[in-house]
Amino acid sequence: MSSQNLVRDERAGAEIVYGAEECYKHSIELLEELGFPKGVLPLKDLIECGRVKETGFVWMKQKGPYEHFFTGSNTLVSYATEVTAYVEKFKMKKMSGVKSKQLLLWVPIVEMSIDDVSSSNKIYFKTPMGIGRSFPVTAFMSDDEKQKFLEKVSE
């Protein structure tokens, strides 16, 4: 079976949206549904987003690769033209298209997860070698999200 057929099968039955505005809306709704902060996937110029609800497979295509510096975690992250993952509540696994610059090397990120948000304020990122790092979830939140989160935590 060719990899092209595998990709087609993986996307069978997908809900697909096109265009920057619709894709942005779709990606934000997905992140909120999964319990991730809105800023964790700051993709630019999205042209296609898809999701297969039965398997949890998602993909987001943008016009070209994009690098983003997260000041809250002091990390540079590279997003390929296409980012894919299998998703479930508080977890994205088997990710492709995301790399983080660590020292002088680009390291693939294959999983990100959040422990139950009510008990933890950390987001975890794992590499293919199983090595990972965690950061405060607030490092990837919009200003509105941070305000709501801090109010909730202080209650």
Side-chain angles (χ1 to χ4, degrees):
M1 179 186 284
S2 75
S3 61
Q4 191 68 24
N5 287 338
L6 183 62
V7 168
R8 257 190 237 114
D9 293 345
E10 195 171 51
R11 297 171 192 223
E15 170 191 309
I16 304 171
V17 295
Y18 299 95
E21 193 174 313
E22 280 301 307
C23 286
Y24 176 77
K25 182 180 163 192
H26 180 79
S27 65
I28 294 299
E29 288 170 357
L30 176 67
L31 290 171
E32 288 176 340
E33 178 185 327
L34 299 174
F36 283 96
K38 293 176 189 172
V40 78
L41 286 176
L43 303 177
K44 296 280 188 195
D45 299 323
L46 290 167
I47 55 174
E48 178 183 309
C49 294
R51 180 180 188 185
V52 182
K53 287 205 178 205
E54 295 77 32
T55 62
F57 182 70
V58 298
W59 72 90
M60 296 176 195
K61 288 183 183 178
Q62 50 188 356
K63 287 182 181 174
Y66 171 68
E67 288 182 2
H68 182 82
F69 184 76
F70 289 97
T71 55
S73 64
N74 197 31
T75 52
L76 181 63
V77 178
S78 171
Y79 300 94
T81 303
E82 183 171 43
V83 173
T84 67
Y86 285 87
V87 299
E88 57 191 64
K89 189 73 170 171
F90 302 123
K91 186 176 276 191
M92 289 189 191
K93 54 191 176 184
K94 296 183 182 176
M95 294 174 67
S96 71
V98 181
K99 295 184 286 187
S100 173
K101 191 149 193 182
Q102 302 298 315
L103 300 174
L104 300 173
L105 300 173
W106 283 102
V107 180
I109 302 298
V110 295
E111 186 175 304
M112 68 178 170
S113 62
I114 299 176
D115 287 338
D116 183 1
V117 176
S118 60
S119 64
S120 174
N121 62 353
K122 298 278 185 188
I123 186 167
Y124 302 90
F125 298 91
K126 287 186 186 171
T127 68
M129 292 81 63
I131 299 169
R133 289 186 68 188
S134 65
F135 298 99
V137 74
T138 53
F140 305 96
M141 290 181 171
S142 67
D143 290 339
D144 290 347
E145 284 179 304
K146 280 183 197 172
Q147 184 64 36
K148 289 176 187 172
F149 179 79
L150 295 172
E151 288 170 5
K152 188 176 177 182
V153 171
S154 66
E155 289 177 354

